[in-house]
């Protein structure tokens, strides 16, 4: 439906006059898998989710259907607008608009790409107030009288750090200071995006064409596909000499000193390695200078420091900053050390806060926020540091959210947390016995991020009162790579792959300056982003060669070839289905931001989540999005017999609260969850919901 029958958009009216909820909180957990949650809850784990299920309403599998492609920006945009991607215009992690060069893509988190009204815009028409906290596709702000905290990336203020994370390694045998900056990867392949860029042009950077396509600094990164490139760690590497402390005002006896480059190498701090009473070196201290009486911060082996407050000079101004260190290794004999230094937070600028003073207010009242570490991965120590940092980050979000909700007028609160999806990409493939000898350790890591997420939602559910409803949702889930198959080289949410389309003769390359690039003069089609194929059409695409008269036959030929394509290793069909522009309208795609062909892979070949259907399952994991509703106006302890879609969330919230429906909403009200009377609502400590037999999920393929 486009609009509520009794609440025409644009008039500031409401969709009904019997609103049962005064406020709504939407708690988004990117990548949360209903199948995995069911398994954990059945095992007596995740008390926060169990509490929500006991008190609320869900579906038989706890899931709902994502829009396609099942990727972060399109789905959070649909959960904010109630519209399908063809309508709201965001169709993948990166976006493309017909008429632009086929290798020019726009960053899909950008609210400027949205063509549909959001729920907070509709609320504003009725004079209602919203707080939008780290919600994809919400930034730049669209509503003047609202509060925004970032929304440009997966984590709050991830693009607002002032210095990159670093690993400092000191040794007595080092003769000179060596600084190796991290490699900037703006493909988003590691779910991160730096700086102010919002569009990119793909380039091939491999010296030798291996059939894989684009690599960093293009849009598909360093290895065969973007999913594998997500395993590439990034951090500045600092190798610093370690020697006797000299020239200090008050260095302890026997201390050893080292230099710390900071502020992107533009400034220096000094450090001491300090021994205990037994003469064992046990502390690392960071000082502003050798004359400073007290350290800025310190930590021992396996410890995090407290917040280290400093000032960095940026464009001639002294900017207050904060960061932490975590000691990774420390030789008791004092000959070496290694420590991690977090992203450095800008405490002043408030770059991704609206109003801008919200940033300073949160840092003042709640404290600085620790970004999750990304310096290494797939080893026990780095994985532990990541878990520790992301747990602190989630805890900060609980405090920051509660501060804003306690101290501001609000009717609607939308937030999104990205830890589960990041862990899916990093670790899910390794949870299968056939994929890793350490599968049990990786299964435990996956459980840990669900446990952290459980504490997050549990803390915010404490806010539920008689007038507030909550929706706990995800945009999609994710499956582990089938160890029996390889990812086919077609479709990559980070950009363009040449692989299969190259093998089939549609995408052609040429050598240029010792590397390869697409030869657009001979290329008839390219596989762009996760699930689209574009023809290179004369008169539409700047370098087009396909005659428009041949458009339909070329599309049909490519679809035929895709269905005929077999995986070289297994002989299995790779493509589940492929649709032309007319037919893709039935799955909510089409228009100027979709390709000429939309396709979905068979589950055995899916990359985590982007290339598969929302209802695909594989080896105990699923692609389903999570759906739980509870609180004011919602039934309690029930499982509804209805298919729920992400586009249904917005119309249902608007119905519950008597708010205007966004102008472009296409979903429907989920009437089946609505309480007929207050007696049907119970507190969040109510009786368990009957959710059917648990499925085998997250078992590492053991079942």
């Amino acid at each position: 439906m486009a609009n509520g029958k009794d609440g025409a958009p644009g008039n500031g009216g409401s969709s009904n006059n019997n609103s049962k909820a005064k406020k709504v909180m939407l708690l988004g957990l990117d990548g949360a898998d209903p199948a995995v949650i069911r398994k954990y809850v059945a095992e007596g784990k995740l008390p926060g989710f169990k509490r929500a299920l006991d008190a609320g309403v869900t579906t038989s599998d706890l899931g709902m259907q994502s829009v396609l492609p099942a990727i972060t920006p399109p789905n959070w945009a649909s959960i904010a607008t109630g519209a399908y991607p063809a309508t709201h215009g965001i169709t993948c992690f990166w976006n493309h608009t017909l008429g632009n060069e086929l290798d020019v893509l726009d960053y899909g988190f950008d609210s400027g790409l949205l063509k549909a009204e959001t729920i907070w815009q509709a609320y504003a028409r009725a004079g209602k107030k919203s707080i939008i906290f780290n919600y994809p596709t919400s930034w730049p702000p669209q509503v003047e009288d609202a509060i925004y905290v970032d929304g440009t990336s997966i984590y709050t203020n991830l693009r607002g750090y002032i210095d990159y994370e670093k690993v400092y390694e000191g040794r007595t045998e080092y003769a000179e200071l060596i600084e190796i900056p991290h490699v900037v990867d703006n493909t988003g392949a590691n779910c991160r995006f730096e700086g102010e860029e919002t569009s990119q042009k793909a380039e091939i950077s491999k010296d030798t064409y291996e059939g894989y396509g684009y690599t960093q600094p293009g849009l598909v990164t360093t290895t065969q596909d973007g999913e594998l490139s997500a395993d590439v760690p990034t951090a500045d590497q600092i190798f610093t000499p370690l020697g006797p402390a000299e020239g200090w005002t008050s260095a302890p006896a026997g201390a050893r000193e080292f230099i710390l480059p900071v502020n992107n190498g533009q400034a220096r701090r000094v450090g001491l390695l300090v021994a205990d009473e037994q003469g064992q070196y046990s502390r690392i201290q960071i000082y502003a200078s050798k004359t400073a009486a007290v350290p800025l911060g310190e930590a021992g082996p396996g410890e995090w420091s407290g917040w280290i407050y400093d000032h960095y000079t940026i464009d001639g101004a002294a900017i207050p900053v904060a960061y932490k260190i975590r000691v990774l290794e420390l030789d008791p004999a004092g000959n070496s050390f290694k420590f991690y230094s977090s992203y450095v937070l800008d405490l002043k600028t408030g770059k991704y806060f609206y109003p801008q003073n919200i940033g300073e207010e949160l840092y003042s009242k709640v404290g600085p926020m620790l970004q999750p570490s990304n310096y290494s991965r797939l080893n026990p120590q780095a994985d532990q540091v990541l878990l520790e940092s992301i747990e602190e980050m989630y805890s900060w979000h609980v405090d920051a959210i509660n501060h804003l909700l306690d101290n501001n007028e609000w009717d609607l609160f939308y937030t999104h947390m990205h830890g589960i999806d990041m862990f899916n990409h990093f670790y899910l493939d390794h949870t299968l016995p056939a994929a890793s000898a350490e599968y049990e350790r990786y299964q435990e890591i996956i459980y840990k991020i669900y446990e952290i997420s459980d504490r997050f939602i549990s803390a915010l559910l404490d806010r539920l009162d008689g007038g507030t409803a909550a929706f706990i949702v995800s945009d999609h889930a994710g499956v582990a790579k089938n160890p029996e198959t390889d990812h086919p080289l077609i479709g990559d949410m980070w950009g363009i792959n040449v692989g299969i389309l190259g093998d089939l003769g549609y995408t052609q390359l040429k050598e240029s300056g010792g590397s390869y690039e697409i030869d657009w003069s001979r290329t008839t089609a390219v596989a762009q982003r996760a699930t689209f194929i574009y023809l290179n059409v004369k008169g539409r695409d700047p370098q087009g060669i396909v005659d428009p008269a041949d458009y339909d036959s070329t599309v049909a030929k490519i679809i035929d070839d895709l269905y005929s394509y077999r995986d070289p290793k297994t002989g299995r069909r790779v493509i589940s289905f492929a649709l032309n522009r007319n037919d893709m309208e039935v799955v909510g795609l089409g228009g100027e931001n979709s390709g000429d062909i939309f396709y979905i892979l068979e589950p055995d070949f899916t990359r985590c989540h982007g290339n598969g259907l929302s209802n695909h399952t594989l080896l105990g994991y699923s692609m389903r999005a999570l759906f739980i509703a509870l609180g004011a106006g919602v039934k309690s302890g029930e499982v509804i017999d209805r298919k729920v879609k992400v586009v249904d969330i917005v119309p249902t919230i608007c119905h519950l609260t008597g708010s205007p429906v966004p102008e472009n909403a296409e979903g429907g009200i989920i009437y089946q969850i609505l309480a007929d009377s207050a007696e049907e609502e119970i507190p969040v400590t109510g009786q368990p919901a009957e959710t059917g037999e648990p499925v085998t999920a997250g078992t590492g393929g053991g079942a």
Side-chain angles (χ1 to χ4, degrees), residues 493-687:
M493 68 178 84
W494 320 125
I496 293 176
N497 260 334
V498 176
I500 291 177
L501 267 287
D503 293 344
L504 295 173
Y506 294 106
T507 304
Q508 302 289 334
L509 299 176
K510 66 179 180 181
E511 188 173 0
S512 176
S515 61
Y516 287 85
E517 63 184 28
I518 289 182
D519 184 351
W520 294 107
S521 68
R522 298 188 298 127
T523 290
T524 53
V526 293
Q528 189 208 70
R529 304 178 286 155
T531 53
F532 295 110
I533 291 173
Y534 282 78
L535 271 59
N536 186 23
V537 181
K538 283 181 185 177
R540 184 191 74 179
D541 303 303
Q543 296 163 303
I545 64 169
V546 176
D547 192 314
D550 298 327
Y551 177 89
D552 289 337
S553 60
T554 305
V555 167
K557 178 67 166 55
I558 293 173
I559 290 176
D560 284 346
D561 288 343
L562 292 177
Y563 281 126
S564 299
Y565 185 83
R566 293 294 181 271
D567 173 50
K569 182 178 176 181
T570 64
R572 299 177 192 170
R573 178 164 53 87
V574 171
I575 300 296
S576 180
F577 65 83
L579 305 173
N580 61 32
R581 288 183 65 81
N582 179 68
D583 293 346
M584 71 178 72
E585 291 182 10
V586 301
V587 294
L589 291 168
E592 65 173 358
N593 301 113
S594 295
D596 298 300
I597 297 169
F598 172 76
Y599 63 90
I600 285 291
L601 303 182
E602 286 287 285
D604 280 339
F605 298 100
T606 296
R607 286 186 184 87
C608 195
H609 57 81
N611 312 79
L613 283 175
S614 177
N615 59 343
H616 278 172
T617 60
L618 184 67
L619 301 174
Y621 298 108
S622 88
M623 304 259 294
R624 296 279 281 167
L626 174 67
F627 171 75
I628 304 172
L630 68 160
V634 178
K635 293 177 179 176
S636 62
E638 289 205 17
V639 177
I640 59 172
D641 183 19
R642 169 193 163 148
K643 301 299 182 185
V644 175
K645 301 177 182 180
V646 298
V647 293
D648 298 333
I649 301 297
V650 160
T652 304
I653 291 175
C654 294
H655 179 83
L656 266 175
T657 58
S659 303
V661 180
E663 293 179 354
N664 312 98
E666 297 167 311
I669 298 168
I670 314 170
Y671 287 106
Q672 294 83 351
I673 73 168
L674 302 178
D676 293 331
S677 65
E679 287 71 24
E680 293 190 47
E681 306 165 27
I682 64 174
V684 292
T685 54
Q687 295 302 308

Side-chain angles (χ1 to χ4, degrees), residues 354-416:
Y354 178 87
Q356 195 169 15
N357 64 348
I358 291 294
E360 278 191 272
E361 178 182 323
L362 288 178
Y363 296 146
S364 170
K365 302 295 185 183
V366 179
M369 191 200 84
L370 187 67
Q371 288 285 355
S373 73
N374 193 41
Y375 77 95
S376 185
R377 205 170 306 133
L378 303 183
N379 67 76
Q381 184 181 63
D383 296 336
Q384 178 61 29
V385 174
L386 172 56
L387 275 169
E388 293 168 358
S389 58
I390 204 166
E391 183 163 20
E392 180 170 332
M393 185 267 282
Y394 270 61
S395 177
W396 181 89
H397 275 75
V398 169
D399 293 341
I401 289 167
N402 276 328
H403 173 81
L404 290 183
L405 298 184
D406 286 341
N407 293 281
N408 295 277
E409 183 183 350
W410 64 278
D411 302 289
L412 177 72
F413 172 69
Y414 258 52
T415 191
H416 140 278

Side-chain angles (χ1 to χ4, degrees), residues 189 217 228-229 243 247 276 296 337 376 622 675:
L228 294 178
S229 74
D276 58 22
L296 296 169
F337 68 80
S376 185
S622 88

